[in-house]
Amino acid sequence: MKKGQRTVKEVANRLEAFYLRNRRLPSFAELGEILNLRSKNAVSQWVGKLEEAEIVRQDRTGKLSLGENFSTLKLLGSIEAGFPTGAEEEALDTLSLDSYLIKNREATYVLTVKGDSMIDAGIHEGDMVIVERGVEARSGDIVIAEVDGAFTLKYFRKRGREVSLEAANKKYKTIFPKNDLTISAVVRVVIRKYV
Amino acid sequence: MQNLVLHLDGDAFFVGCELTRRPDLRGLPVVTGAERGIASAMSYEAKRLGVTRGYPIFKLRKDFPQVVVLPGDYELYEQYANRMYTIVRRFSNRVEEYSIDECFAQLRQGSAGQASHEIAREVKSTLARELGMTFSVGVAPTKVLAKLASKRDKPNGLVCTNYDNFAHELYGMDLGKVWGIGARSLPLMRALGVVTVGDFANQSESWMRGNWNVNFLDLWHELRGEQVYKVSEGNIAKHLSIQKTRTFSPATNDPSVLMGQLAKNIENAFGYARSLNLSASEAQIFIKTEKFGYQVTEFKFLNPIQTPELLLDQVRKVLPSLIRKNEKYRATGVVLKASPLARGLALGPRDLFGNHLVESSRLAVHQVADRLYDKYGGRVLTLGSALTARNMHHTQSARTHLGLPYLGEVC
């Protein structure tokens, strides 16, 4: 039988193709279609294997979500002088870039950086920032704030009751908002691609 | 133990999505639909001016020059819709994805009274916090009542009722607000002195049976707090707008280049429709000028289709007449109106002239291409007509790579 020859890796690849296309994991019925399996039992056996390999997880309602090993990039730790020992490498484990960078997907957005107002924080024009909405900004966070109907990227500072937006560039003055300050989101990740 | 239904409805949803990346437009009259030539969604400020759905854009520009007109971006709206469903699923394990800006959720048994009120409040505030736009929420014993409740205090409304007070809260509303009571039956009802929801719900069953068909009887039960319609799990989206657009450079008015670009978009849109098992009954294509103007045209298909060839033929015919000599174009796009095929009709309705046979053989070819796509993660097999689009420079948006809504630039 064809089914017996299939490996978990092959199934995982199909799952990944589905995910790339639909940006979600399949339902049991859809997984049956992907794998050409009619029986529900056979599908759930595969789900069991995928779960064991931590490629997917199942929630209370039986829906699938991404497991730690789904589409993995190997994380080798920070680069230091010397090489990581085997033991260290194991301890760090593998994880997907997505789950490393994004905590709450539904609240996460992307923007492109323009200008040099955050240059001393290492954020350059053309960088992309991944931001999270709906979280409270703490003093020292880099935030997306709304000033005069436009988004601005600045350090959020809070001293007692006074709040301000501070650039990471001497050329720009610190902004002390007159009315309420709207913080749209908090910066979680900065991405720069070297191509 | 009470089972209550929650209904959620985005406030001017498309405009709400747009405002998340255009804070400068907040509080202004804003309309989407520039790419269609008619208003598809209006901000409440625009509604107040008297702009209605379907208002022609050229007329709008003349009548209300202060209105900001934006092109629709269905990819963004879909991203937000999916987020909305996912967030609601945190609170309920039975969520029905009713449409791009609406869903129903069954509130768990035992979570009645005060608790369901709290859940509704939390769903609403989570959506506002994480998505940055407002939704109107209604809670009631049935779907029809819940949909009515979400409408009562729109926009940004929160109306929570239960078995004891739904009549008090909702029966004073106009009958026209009820889901399923249309423009045809409303005047008849009014003539009979049935004006409010309460007037209708308090009629006797024999009056209902004697005068109206079974659909109205269902409504009558629902409005009396007796569940007829169940909240069905999963996504049974009635229809979906699938949009594919690409911006390219340099700008051009060469018909063969524009056709290639359109072909690529059309191919991708149908590929996406097939992956969702949807077929298209209507399509719009547009070409966008350097000055952000749009030339639009629409197509209707006799039978719903899942393959691009028919549309491509039609586009090839009309495209030359769409292109203006003194304009250059920098983007093309297609929007498909797609819906699931009826059960048992794997290839849509049979057709006297055998069109379904043509469609079925085309579909077989495209399904092979889809399998290759699944295997190699890209369109390895592509339409010849899309070849000219291959070597052009495309400006790709960040969201295509990351699958996250792109909010634009920040200084």
Side-chain angles (χ1 to χ4, degrees), chain B residues 244-246 248 254-270 284-288 295 297 299 308 311-312 314-316 318-320 322-323 329 331-335 383 385-389 392 394:
Chain B
K244 296 286 170 194
T245 44
R246 290 171 26 131
F248 50 86
D254 177 345
S256 70
V257 173
L258 292 173
M259 189 60 219
Q261 289 291 333
L262 280 167
K264 194 74 213 149
N265 286 322
I266 290 169
E267 178 179 28
N268 289 344
F270 276 100
Q284 282 158 13
I285 60 139
F286 62 81
I287 50 180
K288 186 179 171 190
Q295 262 98 60
T297 185
F299 306 90
L311 178 60
L312 285 170
Q314 297 184 359
V315 171
R316 215 168 274 130
V318 300
L319 185 63
L322 219 56
I323 298 169
Y329 299 89
T332 70
V334 62
V335 181
L383 289 172
S385 45
L387 274 180
T388 53
M392 298 214 48
H394 294 102

Side-chain angles (χ1 to χ4, degrees), chain B residues 20-268:
Chain B
T20 62
R21 55 181 177 186
R22 293 292 303 272
D24 55 314
L25 298 182
R26 214 167 290 151
L28 299 179
V30 179
V31 160
T32 64
E35 87 294 351
R36 298 183 58 188
I38 53 167
S40 54
M42 301 77 63
S43 72
Y44 286 85
E45 291 79 5
K47 281 181 191 170
R48 233 167 276 140
L49 288 175
V51 183
T52 50
R53 232 187 142 135
Y55 210 96
I57 299 295
F58 76 93
K59 200 159 170 285
L60 189 86
R61 292 219 159 95
K62 230 184 288 164
D63 298 350
F64 308 106
Q66 71 272 44
V67 172
V68 181
V69 183
L70 300 173
D73 180 348
Y74 297 93
E75 204 180 321
L76 182 78
Y77 311 154
E78 208 190 317
Q79 279 181 335
Y80 273 110
N82 287 330
R83 287 179 167 211
M84 165 183 84
Y85 308 138
T86 309
I87 289 171
V88 179
R89 289 210 165 88
R90 291 183 200 159
F91 300 90
S92 164
N93 48 19
R94 208 195 294 169
V95 175
E96 178 180 332
E97 301 176 2
Y98 181 69
S99 73
I100 194 156
D101 59 349
E102 277 179 72
C103 67
F104 290 98
Q106 186 77 55
L107 296 183
R108 287 185 204 106
Q109 289 193 339
S111 57
Q114 190 58 31
S116 69
H117 195 101
E118 304 274 290
I119 293 172
R121 189 181 295 277
E122 215 181 313
V123 168
K124 185 171 153 62
S125 68
T126 307
L127 287 167
R129 229 175 31 238
E130 296 189 0
L131 302 186
M133 65 182 94
T134 63
F135 290 79
S136 291
V137 180
V139 175
T142 67
K143 279 171 88 174
V144 174
L145 284 168
K147 203 161 149 77
L148 198 58
S150 72
K151 211 174 260 181
R152 197 190 77 184
D153 292 353
K154 209 170 186 13
N156 208 5
L158 176 67
V159 176
C160 293
T161 70
N162 55 39
Y163 282 87
D164 300 325
N165 68 4
F166 73 86
H168 175 75
E169 296 289 335
L170 306 172
Y171 276 12
M173 290 174 72
D174 187 275
L175 188 62
K177 301 257 183 207
V178 173
W179 182 28
I181 300 233
R184 259 186 307 164
S185 41
L186 204 57
L188 281 169
M189 293 280 180
R190 290 224 169 99
L192 293 166
V194 180
V195 178
T196 66
V197 176
D199 292 342
F200 183 80
N202 289 327
Q203 295 293 337
S204 70
E205 187 162 357
S206 59
W207 183 83
M208 285 308 307
R209 284 188 188 279
N211 294 290
W212 306 96
N213 68 26
V214 64
N215 294 331
F216 284 89
L217 191 66
D218 285 350
L219 279 183
W220 179 78
H221 281 298
E222 282 263 324
L223 288 172
R224 290 165 69 90
E226 300 150 17
Q227 265 200 25
V228 179
Y229 306 128
K230 296 267 174 282
V231 177
S232 37
E233 277 166 72
N235 44 339
I236 45 154
K238 295 274 178 295
H239 51 75
L240 188 70
S241 291
I242 295 174
Q243 182 186 40
K244 296 286 170 194
T245 44
R246 290 171 26 131
T247 305
F248 50 86
S249 66
T252 181
N253 62 4
D254 177 345
S256 70
V257 173
L258 292 173
M259 189 60 219
Q261 289 291 333
L262 280 167
K264 194 74 213 149
N265 286 322
I266 290 169
E267 178 179 28
N268 289 344

Side-chain angles (χ1 to χ4, degrees), chain A residues 131-145:
Chain A
V131 305
E132 190 177 352
R133 260 196 206 277
V135 286
E136 204 179 327
R138 287 170 304 185
S139 190
D141 281 348
I142 298 173
V143 299
I144 305 289

Side-chain angles (χ1 to χ4, degrees), chain B residues 323-395:
Chain B
I323 298 169
R324 293 184 187 161
K325 277 236 169 62
N326 47 3
E327 293 268 25
K328 279 192 172 170
Y329 299 89
R330 58 191 288 272
T332 70
V334 62
V335 181
L336 299 182
K337 193 175 164 194
S339 45
L341 282 172
R343 240 171 239 280
L345 285 178
L347 286 167
R350 298 292 180 259
D351 171 298
L352 188 60
F353 305 105
N355 285 331
H356 63 282
L357 296 174
V358 178
E359 168 71 3
S360 81
S361 61
R362 281 172 182 163
L363 187 59
V365 174
H366 283 284
Q367 279 167 342
V368 172
D370 289 345
R371 278 208 288 282
L372 289 169
Y373 180 100
D374 284 345
K375 193 162 179 190
Y376 298 107
R379 288 235 166 259
V380 258
L381 209 56
T382 179
L383 289 172
S385 45
L387 274 180
T388 53
R390 266 210 140 152
N391 304 322
M392 298 214 48
H393 175 73
H394 294 102
T395 334

Side-chain angles (χ1 to χ4, degrees), chain B residues 291-309:
Chain B
K291 296 160 200 147
F292 300 97
Y294 290 85
Q295 262 98 60
V296 196
T297 185
E298 301 199 4
F299 306 90
K300 282 202 169 86
F301 312 121
L302 280 174
N303 294 319
I305 50 173
Q306 288 194 297
T307 60
E309 281 78 7

